[in-house]
Amino acid sequence: MSTLANKIQEVFNEPGCAKNQAKSGKERKKGCTKQLQPGGAAGGCAFDGAKIALQPITDAAHLVHGPIACEGSSWDNRNSSSSGSKLYRTSFTTDLSENDIIFGGEKRLYRSIREIVEKYDPPAVFVYQTCVPAMTGDDINAVCKKAGEKFGKPCIPVQAPGFVGAKTLGNKLGGEALLDHVIGTEEPDRTTPYDINIIGEYNVAGELWQVKPLLDELGIRILACISGDSKYHEVARSHRARAAMMVCSRAMINVARKMEERYGIPYFEGSFYGIGDMSDSLRQIAKLLVERGAPDELIARTEAVIAREEARAWRRIAAYRERFSGKKVLLITGGVKSWSVVAALQEAGMELVGTSVKKSTKEDKERIKEIMGQDAHMIDDLPPREMYRILKEARADIMLSGGRTQFVALKAKMPWLDINQERHYAYAGYEGMVELVREIDKALSNPVWSQVRTPAPWDEVTWEQRADEANAAVAECEAKAPSPCPSPARGEGTSSQRAQPTPSPLAGEGRGEGEAARCVAGEVAELPILPLERAA
Amino acid sequence: MAKVVISKKACTVNPLKMSQPIGAALAFMGVKGCMPLLHGSQGCTSFGLVLFVRHFREAIPMQTTAMSEVATVLGGFENVEQAVITINNRAKPAMIGICSTGVTEVKGDDVDGFISLIRRNRPELDHLPLVYASTPDFKDAFQEGWAKAVTKMVETLVETPAKGARRDPERVNILPGSHLTPGDLEELRGIVEAFGLVPSFLPDLSGSLDGHIPDDFTPTTIGGITVQEIAGLGRASWTIAIGEQMREAAEALERKTGVPFRLFDRLTGLAPNDAFIAFLAKIGGKPVPNKYRRQRSQLLDAMLDGHFSFGGKKIAVGAEPDLLFAVSSWLSEMGCTIEAAVTTMQSPMLEKVPANEVLIGDLEDLESRAGECDLIVTHSHGRQMSERLGIPLFRYGLPIFDRLGSAHRVSVGYRGTRDLIFEIGNMFMAAAHEPKPDDWRLPRGDVHENEAVTAH
């Protein structure tokens, strides 16, 4: 465990991270992960993050060392696409039983690796540590070392048991496993002055393939994508690239930075989302390659491709700009997509009413401000109540978010589009922007919205009306009262009871603080939210 | 009589099994205003939550005690207490259902003890029922977690009726196994009510996860049986348990309240539904309504129309014990052969499965045994095997994440069985073999050895 503790400390101490650099030594030691609140936490664990980061290595076997919970309910649930091997979609787990807990699971792990090598013959086996064997003290490093020697296959221990932190930490710990055991362990057959790495891109819904044809045309070779649609040997040989692009701003900065340090590969941080960002990224790639010795003419060729593709994309998007004018979009997402999608949607003529910056770094937030001007409606951890109200008051025509918040929009009968990990559509590059715009148009113009919003002929009062009345009551109360009004309490009534949103004067003395401030009596519709994301 | 075999492999490949805690959490989701709480690392909750969201296409209430490494080593009392307080403040639940996980069980957290301490220290939480089920991930499977949670709800929430208290002859408790869908429960409610009986389902996913637009949005479950209704289950005249997994809960309820129970090991197929309907007619004291006589007749007709397609078909089934038993028994009654049967854990039902062998194993095992089959029956994770083998997949069980309406598939009752015949029969018909000129070619060479010609 001490090596794992050191590793986490090291990851927290990432010099490539500007946010980290701004901290004092003491703060830095505490790490980046916010202390999770029991009963109020959301999101995946470190193991989840490590698996997200590494599983897109398509021809490797990914073996989860733990009880069934870690793999049994989550396997084959991500949309990372492969152009070749499908082995990454085969699930391997030691499925630890009570005996393994009592007597130790190392033997089972070793035998599992042997079975995988014999049956599936992958180029490498990644072994993921989880909470239970981390508690009981299974030494997966030792097992991997022994199995690797015995079977002549790289066996890579991934030390990211769930309880060490959140998903983003797991992304980085997955990257550390690559740095320690994979990158630089093999040599490529040949290199070219046009070799790049793309770091932190997972080829969700095949997005890498919306970008790759452009690179192909320019003669730029992806030596390794870490890790979308990659093969093990590509990652092992990635240290010979001339330049690198880091895609997801927080996920794998440690990989990009350490590869620069160890192998002299310069990197830049860029995005494939949005036309402007895509063009900038191509320019940056060309510039870095030329700086590293590629012929100058690459820059002119790149500009020609950018000009042609931008014009082509704009032509196709222009068809929608008119339909989108005046339409407002509420964007709830974390990390890289916040700032890159903002620009993209504005290009399509939409107006933003807010964006979540939960997972975004400080730099992300700065970028959003830059792009949206000082008026940007910055929403850190937007409470679902607010989300719902924005939608209800039609300040937004459509909501874009990850799968887990979709019901806020759908149950409120509002158009919604999935833009996170589990999405099925690809939105990268010039093609992706056209696709995103087409999908938004499809969602907005679908005829179901007017139908589902029509109340049943016999409904005297719809829940929407009750919700509106309740919200109005809160607003009225807020206007009157100096102290902030609390959230309406959850009503216990049934559909047959009509709401009585009587704004009452502040209750008298003798009551608890919470009670005294209560402005709204009667039934109030609550939010259709996922409790995990609910704010107090 | 099937022989029950346990896989000898060290490595599970393509798991069929899911873990106990999320089975227990799903059972808690059948209670109105409930918040299930997994005592473990946040990933334990997040994986389960995503799974249910994908299956039901609904917001899923599920929380975590968010155990860190340090908290795990030191013990999780503070985390459990803080989680309960936070959930109570934010979600105002009617109940919190707590499930342990592998990591807190390995540490040996005494959650029952934690709850007593919370009760002692926090009288302000007296109104809030806390039900705890011990569900380590490294034992048993989903179905067992569900069963344990129901048993614990019975033990914790049901009140023992006063001596000599009169039972309500119209009231019937129904304890459905985890293999029944919200649609199944809705179907059963209709059937039971047709006999003048008033059913209470514990748990009742048909109120919470049947995919409706709620009247009242809450961060907890949006429907299900209320805590008050659970308390009053002792007033019923009968308990009907569906699936062997519910035996323990039914016994616990009988022990506590004296309400007798009848267990139906399945409700798919003709004979089990005849027994079910006859039982309802008996306890309801009413003749069988015409509606169900007619549905029975429709089922007979569907069996007659469908048996051409089902007869002689070879099936590979991967499912939890009670579902495996139900679907395999019914398929064999339609003339199919259960060529391969794989399940997740031990159960008295396994040897009753109409197959030579039932393997406690994974989907790799099923795939290696399904090569000659006409149909694979398992959850959505069978999709890769189906593609590789070129054999159609009937998605059945949980999770079904790549098809719509999994909460509404009905396969109980006469009508549910009838529709299942149509659905699977259509798959057989779609995959029917087109005759080719060479199909009946005369055997070459040693004719006699090939005499046992296989039918096309």
mmCIF file with all atom_site columns, all heavy atoms in Angstrom, chain B residues 122-140:
data_model
loop_
_atom_site.group_PDB
_atom_site.id
_atom_site.type_symbol
_atom_site.label_atom_id
_atom_site.label_alt_id
_atom_site.label_comp_id
_atom_site.label_asym_id
_atom_site.label_entity_id
_atom_site.label_seq_id
_atom_site.pdbx_PDB_ins_code
_atom_site.Cartn_x
_atom_site.Cartn_y
_atom_site.Cartn_z
_atom_site.occupancy
_atom_site.B_iso_or_equiv
_atom_site.pdbx_formal_charge
_atom_site.auth_seq_id
_atom_site.auth_comp_id
_atom_site.auth_asym_id
_atom_site.auth_atom_id
_atom_site.pdbx_PDB_model_num
ATOM 1   N N   . ARG B 1 122 ? -29.325 9.689   18.117 1.00 0.00 ? 122 ARG B N   1
ATOM 2   C CA  . ARG B 1 122 ? -30.058 10.584  17.213 1.00 0.00 ? 122 ARG B CA  1
ATOM 3   C C   . ARG B 1 122 ? -31.563 10.388  17.324 1.00 0.00 ? 122 ARG B C   1
ATOM 4   O O   . ARG B 1 122 ? -32.187 9.835   16.417 1.00 0.00 ? 122 ARG B O   1
ATOM 5   C CB  . ARG B 1 122 ? -29.658 10.334  15.756 1.00 0.00 ? 122 ARG B CB  1
ATOM 6   C CG  . ARG B 1 122 ? -28.179 10.469  15.479 1.00 0.00 ? 122 ARG B CG  1
ATOM 7   C CD  . ARG B 1 122 ? -27.847 11.904  15.166 1.00 0.00 ? 122 ARG B CD  1
ATOM 8   N NE  . ARG B 1 122 ? -26.409 12.073  15.088 1.00 0.00 ? 122 ARG B NE  1
ATOM 9   C CZ  . ARG B 1 122 ? -25.819 13.251  14.971 1.00 0.00 ? 122 ARG B CZ  1
ATOM 10  N NH1 . ARG B 1 122 ? -26.552 14.336  14.908 1.00 0.00 ? 122 ARG B NH1 1
ATOM 11  N NH2 . ARG B 1 122 ? -24.514 13.337  14.916 1.00 0.00 ? 122 ARG B NH2 1
ATOM 12  N N   . PRO B 1 123 ? -32.145 10.799  18.419 1.00 0.00 ? 123 PRO B N   1
ATOM 13  C CA  . PRO B 1 123 ? -33.600 10.599  18.554 1.00 0.00 ? 123 PRO B CA  1
ATOM 14  C C   . PRO B 1 123 ? -34.377 11.319  17.458 1.00 0.00 ? 123 PRO B C   1
ATOM 15  O O   . PRO B 1 123 ? -35.500 10.942  17.149 1.00 0.00 ? 123 PRO B O   1
ATOM 16  C CB  . PRO B 1 123 ? -33.906 11.189  19.937 1.00 0.00 ? 123 PRO B CB  1
ATOM 17  C CG  . PRO B 1 123 ? -32.730 12.028  20.288 1.00 0.00 ? 123 PRO B CG  1
ATOM 18  C CD  . PRO B 1 123 ? -31.554 11.453  19.582 1.00 0.00 ? 123 PRO B CD  1
ATOM 19  N N   . GLU B 1 124 ? -33.773 12.350  16.838 1.00 0.00 ? 124 GLU B N   1
ATOM 20  C CA  . GLU B 1 124 ? -34.482 13.080  15.781 1.00 0.00 ? 124 GLU B CA  1
ATOM 21  C C   . GLU B 1 124 ? -34.721 12.192  14.553 1.00 0.00 ? 124 GLU B C   1
ATOM 22  O O   . GLU B 1 124 ? -35.497 12.543  13.668 1.00 0.00 ? 124 GLU B O   1
ATOM 23  C CB  . GLU B 1 124 ? -33.732 14.363  15.405 1.00 0.00 ? 124 GLU B CB  1
ATOM 24  C CG  . GLU B 1 124 ? -32.419 14.162  14.665 1.00 0.00 ? 124 GLU B CG  1
ATOM 25  C CD  . GLU B 1 124 ? -31.198 14.029  15.601 1.00 0.00 ? 124 GLU B CD  1
ATOM 26  O OE1 . GLU B 1 124 ? -31.405 13.637  16.770 1.00 0.00 ? 124 GLU B OE1 1
ATOM 27  O OE2 . GLU B 1 124 ? -30.067 14.295  15.166 1.00 0.00 ? 124 GLU B OE2 1
ATOM 28  N N   . LEU B 1 125 ? -34.034 11.030  14.531 1.00 0.00 ? 125 LEU B N   1
ATOM 29  C CA  . LEU B 1 125 ? -34.246 10.131  13.396 1.00 0.00 ? 125 LEU B CA  1
ATOM 30  C C   . LEU B 1 125 ? -35.209 8.993   13.734 1.00 0.00 ? 125 LEU B C   1
ATOM 31  O O   . LEU B 1 125 ? -35.365 8.051   12.958 1.00 0.00 ? 125 LEU B O   1
ATOM 32  C CB  . LEU B 1 125 ? -32.900 9.537   12.935 1.00 0.00 ? 125 LEU B CB  1
ATOM 33  C CG  . LEU B 1 125 ? -31.878 10.521  12.361 1.00 0.00 ? 125 LEU B CG  1
ATOM 34  C CD1 . LEU B 1 125 ? -30.571 9.801   12.062 1.00 0.00 ? 125 LEU B CD1 1
ATOM 35  C CD2 . LEU B 1 125 ? -32.412 11.192  11.107 1.00 0.00 ? 125 LEU B CD2 1
ATOM 36  N N   . ASP B 1 126 ? -35.845 9.083   14.885 1.00 0.00 ? 126 ASP B N   1
ATOM 37  C CA  . ASP B 1 126 ? -36.717 7.997   15.327 1.00 0.00 ? 126 ASP B CA  1
ATOM 38  C C   . ASP B 1 126 ? -37.805 7.648   14.320 1.00 0.00 ? 126 ASP B C   1
ATOM 39  O O   . ASP B 1 126 ? -38.223 6.507   14.216 1.00 0.00 ? 126 ASP B O   1
ATOM 40  C CB  . ASP B 1 126 ? -37.369 8.345   16.679 1.00 0.00 ? 126 ASP B CB  1
ATOM 41  C CG  . ASP B 1 126 ? -36.420 8.052   17.837 1.00 0.00 ? 126 ASP B CG  1
ATOM 42  O OD1 . ASP B 1 126 ? -35.345 7.478   17.558 1.00 0.00 ? 126 ASP B OD1 1
ATOM 43  O OD2 . ASP B 1 126 ? -36.748 8.404   18.988 1.00 0.00 ? 126 ASP B OD2 1
ATOM 44  N N   . HIS B 1 127 ? -38.258 8.677   13.595 1.00 0.00 ? 127 HIS B N   1
ATOM 45  C CA  . HIS B 1 127 ? -39.362 8.463   12.657 1.00 0.00 ? 127 HIS B CA  1
ATOM 46  C C   . HIS B 1 127 ? -38.916 7.683   11.420 1.00 0.00 ? 127 HIS B C   1
ATOM 47  O O   . HIS B 1 127 ? -39.731 7.243   10.627 1.00 0.00 ? 127 HIS B O   1
ATOM 48  C CB  . HIS B 1 127 ? -39.892 9.817   12.186 1.00 0.00 ? 127 HIS B CB  1
ATOM 49  C CG  . HIS B 1 127 ? -38.882 10.549  11.351 1.00 0.00 ? 127 HIS B CG  1
ATOM 50  N ND1 . HIS B 1 127 ? -37.822 11.233  11.890 1.00 0.00 ? 127 HIS B ND1 1
ATOM 51  C CD2 . HIS B 1 127 ? -38.743 10.650  10.004 1.00 0.00 ? 127 HIS B CD2 1
ATOM 52  C CE1 . HIS B 1 127 ? -37.077 11.749  10.922 1.00 0.00 ? 127 HIS B CE1 1
ATOM 53  N NE2 . HIS B 1 127 ? -37.609 11.410  9.765  1.00 0.00 ? 127 HIS B NE2 1
ATOM 54  N N   . LEU B 1 128 ? -37.608 7.557   11.235 1.00 0.00 ? 128 LEU B N   1
ATOM 55  C CA  . LEU B 1 128 ? -37.094 7.056   9.961  1.00 0.00 ? 128 LEU B CA  1
ATOM 56  C C   . LEU B 1 128 ? -36.678 5.589   10.076 1.00 0.00 ? 128 LEU B C   1
ATOM 57  O O   . LEU B 1 128 ? -35.691 5.269   10.737 1.00 0.00 ? 128 LEU B O   1
ATOM 58  C CB  . LEU B 1 128 ? -35.885 7.917   9.544  1.00 0.00 ? 128 LEU B CB  1
ATOM 59  C CG  . LEU B 1 128 ? -35.185 7.505   8.262  1.00 0.00 ? 128 LEU B CG  1
ATOM 60  C CD1 . LEU B 1 128 ? -36.097 7.650   7.056  1.00 0.00 ? 128 LEU B CD1 1
ATOM 61  C CD2 . LEU B 1 128 ? -33.915 8.345   8.062  1.00 0.00 ? 128 LEU B CD2 1
ATOM 62  N N   . PRO B 1 129 ? -37.421 4.693   9.440  1.00 0.00 ? 129 PRO B N   1
ATOM 63  C CA  . PRO B 1 129 ? -37.020 3.276   9.496  1.00 0.00 ? 129 PRO B CA  1
ATOM 64  C C   . PRO B 1 129 ? -35.695 3.053   8.757  1.00 0.00 ? 129 PRO B C   1
ATOM 65  O O   . PRO B 1 129 ? -35.488 3.581   7.668  1.00 0.00 ? 129 PRO B O   1
ATOM 66  C CB  . PRO B 1 129 ? -38.160 2.549   8.771  1.00 0.00 ? 129 PRO B CB  1
ATOM 67  C CG  . PRO B 1 129 ? -39.264 3.532   8.634  1.00 0.00 ? 129 PRO B CG  1
ATOM 68  C CD  . PRO B 1 129 ? -38.651 4.887   8.670  1.00 0.00 ? 129 PRO B CD  1
ATOM 69  N N   . LEU B 1 130 ? -34.818 2.295   9.387  1.00 0.00 ? 130 LEU B N   1
ATOM 70  C CA  . LEU B 1 130 ? -33.566 1.900   8.757  1.00 0.00 ? 130 LEU B CA  1
ATOM 71  C C   . LEU B 1 130 ? -33.568 0.373   8.665  1.00 0.00 ? 130 LEU B C   1
ATOM 72  O O   . LEU B 1 130 ? -33.671 -0.310  9.674  1.00 0.00 ? 130 LEU B O   1
ATOM 73  C CB  . LEU B 1 130 ? -32.364 2.364   9.598  1.00 0.00 ? 130 LEU B CB  1
ATOM 74  C CG  . LEU B 1 130 ? -32.273 3.858   9.889  1.00 0.00 ? 130 LEU B CG  1
ATOM 75  C CD1 . LEU B 1 130 ? -31.150 4.129   10.893 1.00 0.00 ? 130 LEU B CD1 1
ATOM 76  C CD2 . LEU B 1 130 ? -32.025 4.637   8.601  1.00 0.00 ? 130 LEU B CD2 1
ATOM 77  N N   . VAL B 1 131 ? -33.513 -0.152  7.457  1.00 0.00 ? 131 VAL B N   1
ATOM 78  C CA  . VAL B 1 131 ? -33.505 -1.606  7.287  1.00 0.00 ? 131 VAL B CA  1
ATOM 79  C C   . VAL B 1 131 ? -32.149 -1.999  6.734  1.00 0.00 ? 131 VAL B C   1
ATOM 80  O O   . VAL B 1 131 ? -31.681 -1.419  5.757  1.00 0.00 ? 131 VAL B O   1
ATOM 81  C CB  . VAL B 1 131 ? -34.619 -2.049  6.314  1.00 0.00 ? 131 VAL B CB  1
ATOM 82  C CG1 . VAL B 1 131 ? -34.596 -3.559  6.132  1.00 0.00 ? 131 VAL B CG1 1
ATOM 83  C CG2 . VAL B 1 131 ? -35.981 -1.580  6.806  1.00 0.00 ? 131 VAL B CG2 1
ATOM 84  N N   . TYR B 1 132 ? -31.526 -2.960  7.375  1.00 0.00 ? 132 TYR B N   1
ATOM 85  C CA  . TYR B 1 132 ? -30.176 -3.340  6.949  1.00 0.00 ? 132 TYR B CA  1
ATOM 86  C C   . TYR B 1 132 ? -30.125 -4.797  6.486  1.00 0.00 ? 132 TYR B C   1
ATOM 87  O O   . TYR B 1 132 ? -30.597 -5.697  7.169  1.00 0.00 ? 132 TYR B O   1
ATOM 88  C CB  . TYR B 1 132 ? -29.188 -3.144  8.093  1.00 0.00 ? 132 TYR B CB  1
ATOM 89  C CG  . TYR B 1 132 ? -27.862 -3.819  7.853  1.00 0.00 ? 132 TYR B CG  1
ATOM 90  C CD1 . TYR B 1 132 ? -27.070 -3.454  6.759  1.00 0.00 ? 132 TYR B CD1 1
ATOM 91  C CD2 . TYR B 1 132 ? -27.402 -4.849  8.684  1.00 0.00 ? 132 TYR B CD2 1
ATOM 92  C CE1 . TYR B 1 132 ? -25.852 -4.088  6.514  1.00 0.00 ? 132 TYR B CE1 1
ATOM 93  C CE2 . TYR B 1 132 ? -26.193 -5.477  8.441  1.00 0.00 ? 132 TYR B CE2 1
ATOM 94  C CZ  . TYR B 1 132 ? -25.432 -5.093  7.349  1.00 0.00 ? 132 TYR B CZ  1
ATOM 95  O OH  . TYR B 1 132 ? -24.241 -5.728  7.097  1.00 0.00 ? 132 TYR B OH  1
ATOM 96  N N   . ALA B 1 133 ? -29.557 -5.015  5.317  1.00 0.00 ? 133 ALA B N   1
ATOM 97  C CA  . ALA B 1 133 ? -29.317 -6.370  4.827  1.00 0.00 ? 133 ALA B CA  1
ATOM 98  C C   . ALA B 1 133 ? -27.818 -6.561  4.620  1.00 0.00 ? 133 ALA B C   1
ATOM 99  O O   . ALA B 1 133 ? -27.157 -5.734  4.009  1.00 0.00 ? 133 ALA B O   1
ATOM 100 C CB  . ALA B 1 133 ? -30.059 -6.598  3.510  1.00 0.00 ? 133 ALA B CB  1
ATOM 101 N N   . SER B 1 134 ? -27.302 -7.648  5.159  1.00 0.00 ? 134 SER B N   1
ATOM 102 C CA  . SER B 1 134 ? -25.878 -7.967  4.990  1.00 0.00 ? 134 SER B CA  1
ATOM 103 C C   . SER B 1 134 ? -25.692 -8.687  3.655  1.00 0.00 ? 134 SER B C   1
ATOM 104 O O   . SER B 1 134 ? -26.188 -9.791  3.462  1.00 0.00 ? 134 SER B O   1
ATOM 105 C CB  . SER B 1 134 ? -25.420 -8.855  6.150  1.00 0.00 ? 134 SER B CB  1
ATOM 106 O OG  . SER B 1 134 ? -24.211 -9.493  5.804  1.00 0.00 ? 134 SER B OG  1
ATOM 107 N N   . THR B 1 135 ? -25.001 -8.029  2.729  1.00 0.00 ? 135 THR B N   1
ATOM 108 C CA  . THR B 1 135 ? -24.937 -8.560  1.366  1.00 0.00 ? 135 THR B CA  1
ATOM 109 C C   . THR B 1 135 ? -23.521 -8.486  0.785  1.00 0.00 ? 135 THR B C   1
ATOM 110 O O   . THR B 1 135 ? -23.259 -7.726  -0.132 1.00 0.00 ? 135 THR B O   1
ATOM 111 C CB  . THR B 1 135 ? -25.878 -7.746  0.448  1.00 0.00 ? 135 THR B CB  1
ATOM 112 O OG1 . THR B 1 135 ? -25.633 -6.339  0.666  1.00 0.00 ? 135 THR B OG1 1
ATOM 113 C CG2 . THR B 1 135 ? -27.324 -8.039  0.714  1.00 0.00 ? 135 THR B CG2 1
ATOM 114 N N   . PRO B 1 136 ? -22.592 -9.279  1.325  1.00 0.00 ? 136 PRO B N   1
ATOM 115 C CA  . PRO B 1 136 ? -21.227 -9.221  0.769  1.00 0.00 ? 136 PRO B CA  1
ATOM 116 C C   . PRO B 1 136 ? -21.183 -9.643  -0.706 1.00 0.00 ? 136 PRO B C   1
ATOM 117 O O   . PRO B 1 136 ? -21.848 -10.605 -1.084 1.00 0.00 ? 136 PRO B O   1
ATOM 118 C CB  . PRO B 1 136 ? -20.448 -10.207 1.645  1.00 0.00 ? 136 PRO B CB  1
ATOM 119 C CG  . PRO B 1 136 ? -21.472 -11.076 2.289  1.00 0.00 ? 136 PRO B CG  1
ATOM 120 C CD  . PRO B 1 136 ? -22.716 -10.247 2.417  1.00 0.00 ? 136 PRO B CD  1
ATOM 121 N N   . ASP B 1 137 ? -20.422 -8.919  -1.491 1.00 0.00 ? 137 ASP B N   1
ATOM 122 C CA  . ASP B 1 137 ? -20.330 -9.204  -2.935 1.00 0.00 ? 137 ASP B CA  1
ATOM 123 C C   . ASP B 1 137 ? -19.718 -10.562 -3.227 1.00 0.00 ? 137 ASP B C   1
ATOM 124 O O   . ASP B 1 137 ? -19.925 -11.110 -4.298 1.00 0.00 ? 137 ASP B O   1
ATOM 125 C CB  . ASP B 1 137 ? -19.410 -8.177  -3.615 1.00 0.00 ? 137 ASP B CB  1
ATOM 126 C CG  . ASP B 1 137 ? -19.839 -6.758  -3.362 1.00 0.00 ? 137 ASP B CG  1
ATOM 127 O OD1 . ASP B 1 137 ? -20.966 -6.433  -3.722 1.00 0.00 ? 137 ASP B OD1 1
ATOM 128 O OD2 . ASP B 1 137 ? -19.033 -5.992  -2.810 1.00 0.00 ? 137 ASP B OD2 1
ATOM 129 N N   . PHE B 1 138 ? -18.897 -11.048 -2.283 1.00 0.00 ? 138 PHE B N   1
ATOM 130 C CA  . PHE B 1 138 ? -18.148 -12.267 -2.580 1.00 0.00 ? 138 PHE B CA  1
ATOM 131 C C   . PHE B 1 138 ? -18.925 -13.533 -2.254 1.00 0.00 ? 138 PHE B C   1
ATOM 132 O O   . PHE B 1 138 ? -18.377 -14.627 -2.278 1.00 0.00 ? 138 PHE B O   1
ATOM 133 C CB  . PHE B 1 138 ? -16.784 -12.249 -1.867 1.00 0.00 ? 138 PHE B CB  1
ATOM 134 C CG  . PHE B 1 138 ? -16.848 -11.832 -0.427 1.00 0.00 ? 138 PHE B CG  1
ATOM 135 C CD1 . PHE B 1 138 ? -17.271 -12.715 0.549  1.00 0.00 ? 138 PHE B CD1 1
ATOM 136 C CD2 . PHE B 1 138 ? -16.481 -10.540 -0.051 1.00 0.00 ? 138 PHE B CD2 1
ATOM 137 C CE1 . PHE B 1 138 ? -17.342 -12.333 1.876  1.00 0.00 ? 138 PHE B CE1 1
ATOM 138 C CE2 . PHE B 1 138 ? -16.549 -10.142 1.279  1.00 0.00 ? 138 PHE B CE2 1
ATOM 139 C CZ  . PHE B 1 138 ? -16.971 -11.039 2.241  1.00 0.00 ? 138 PHE B CZ  1
ATOM 140 N N   . LYS B 1 139 ? -20.201 -13.377 -1.928 1.00 0.00 ? 139 LYS B N   1
ATOM 141 C CA  . LYS B 1 139 ? -21.055 -14.550 -1.713 1.00 0.00 ? 139 LYS B CA  1
ATOM 142 C C   . LYS B 1 139 ? -22.313 -14.426 -2.561 1.00 0.00 ? 139 LYS B C   1
ATOM 143 O O   . LYS B 1 139 ? -22.811 -13.331 -2.791 1.00 0.00 ? 139 LYS B O   1
ATOM 144 C CB  . LYS B 1 139 ? -21.465 -14.651 -0.236 1.00 0.00 ? 139 LYS B CB  1
ATOM 145 C CG  . LYS B 1 139 ? -20.415 -15.332 0.629  1.00 0.00 ? 139 LYS B CG  1
ATOM 146 C CD  . LYS B 1 139 ? -20.710 -15.149 2.086  1.00 0.00 ? 139 LYS B CD  1
ATOM 147 C CE  . LYS B 1 139 ? -21.756 -16.134 2.605  1.00 0.00 ? 139 LYS B CE  1
ATOM 148 N NZ  . LYS B 1 139 ? -21.920 -15.976 4.078  1.00 0.00 ? 139 LYS B NZ  1
ATOM 149 N N   . ASP B 1 140 ? -22.831 -15.566 -2.986 1.00 0.00 ? 140 ASP B N   1
ATOM 150 C CA  . ASP B 1 140 ? -24.125 -15.620 -3.658 1.00 0.00 ? 140 ASP B CA  1
ATOM 151 C C   . ASP B 1 140 ? -24.239 -14.611 -4.813 1.00 0.00 ? 140 ASP B C   1
ATOM 152 O O   . ASP B 1 140 ? -23.249 -14.259 -5.406 1.00 0.00 ? 140 ASP B O   1
ATOM 153 C CB  . ASP B 1 140 ? -25.263 -15.432 -2.647 1.00 0.00 ? 140 ASP B CB  1
ATOM 154 C CG  . ASP B 1 140 ? -25.244 -16.530 -1.587 1.00 0.00 ? 140 ASP B CG  1
ATOM 155 O OD1 . ASP B 1 140 ? -24.881 -17.669 -1.954 1.00 0.00 ? 140 ASP B OD1 1
ATOM 156 O OD2 . ASP B 1 140 ? -25.541 -16.245 -0.421 1.00 0.00 ? 140 ASP B OD2 1
#
